[in-house]
Amino acid sequence: VCFYSSQAQAFPVFAQQAYENPREATGRIVCANCHLAQKPVEIEVPQAVLPDTVFEAVVEVPYDLSLQQVTGNGTKGPLNVGAVVILPEGFTLAPKDRISSELKEKTKGLIITPYNEANPNILVVGPVPGEDHQKLV
């Protein structure tokens, strides 16, 4: 008996490669097919932002740290986490020279990139080790 499964599009970076826009017609984020898709997350953002201002968004991904995933070499290991953050039109990732040293310290170890050139207001965070990054800044 032979089984075949389609490619899993789990981490935000895989959704980034497969979909021009990460939001489905239903409003759901396309990468929400992963092991954390049913987990509640908390996001903190400012209520209002002045033009040309650098601000931080905090996404908390609380989950049971004893959970494991299959790693790239086929063994079990700790979960990775990631996020797709959709900002309003006109917002973009701040240039490195505009980020304060305090904010650089908070984001140390995180990979944050624009989703694609057409959507600079959509940011992909991670994937990163979840045991070290239950809070993504």
Side-chain angles (χ1 to χ4, degrees):
V1 176
C2 210
F3 293 100
Y4 174 78
S5 69
S6 62
Q7 181 180 8
Q9 304 292 330
F11 289 125
V13 70
F14 297 135
Q16 185 179 11
Q17 294 169 358
Y19 300 95
E20 184 177 324
N21 188 313
R23 187 173 295 281
E24 293 180 343
T26 62
R28 184 174 127 159
I29 303 296
V30 295
C31 64
N33 300 318
C34 73
H35 48 259
L36 294 177
Q38 300 302 315
K39 296 290 183 188
V41 297
E42 295 178 19
I43 184 164
E44 293 177 32
V45 292
Q47 185 176 3
V49 179
L50 296 172
D52 199 33
T53 302
V54 175
F55 66 93
E56 67 182 58
V58 180
V59 178
E60 290 190 50
V61 187
Y63 70 92
D64 181 355
L65 291 174
S66 67
L67 295 175
Q68 293 190 319
Q69 69 181 8
V70 177
T71 63
N73 65 9
T75 61
K76 287 186 176 183
L79 293 181
N80 287 332
V81 295
V84 173
V85 178
I86 302 177
L87 300 170
E89 291 286 330
F91 286 68
T92 61
L93 183 63
K96 289 183 181 186
D97 63 340
R98 297 276 318 273
I99 299 174
S100 68
S101 56
E102 177 186 342
L103 193 51
K104 284 180 183 177
E105 186 62 33
K106 288 181 182 181
T107 59
K108 189 175 183 176
L110 287 180
I111 301 165
I112 305 171
T113 58
Y115 189 80
N116 57 28
E117 286 184 23
N119 298 296
N121 63 310
I122 302 174
L123 306 177
V124 176
V125 184
V128 292
E131 57 190 5
D132 299 331
H133 295 95
Q134 283 195 301
K135 184 181 278 193
L136 306 170
V137 178

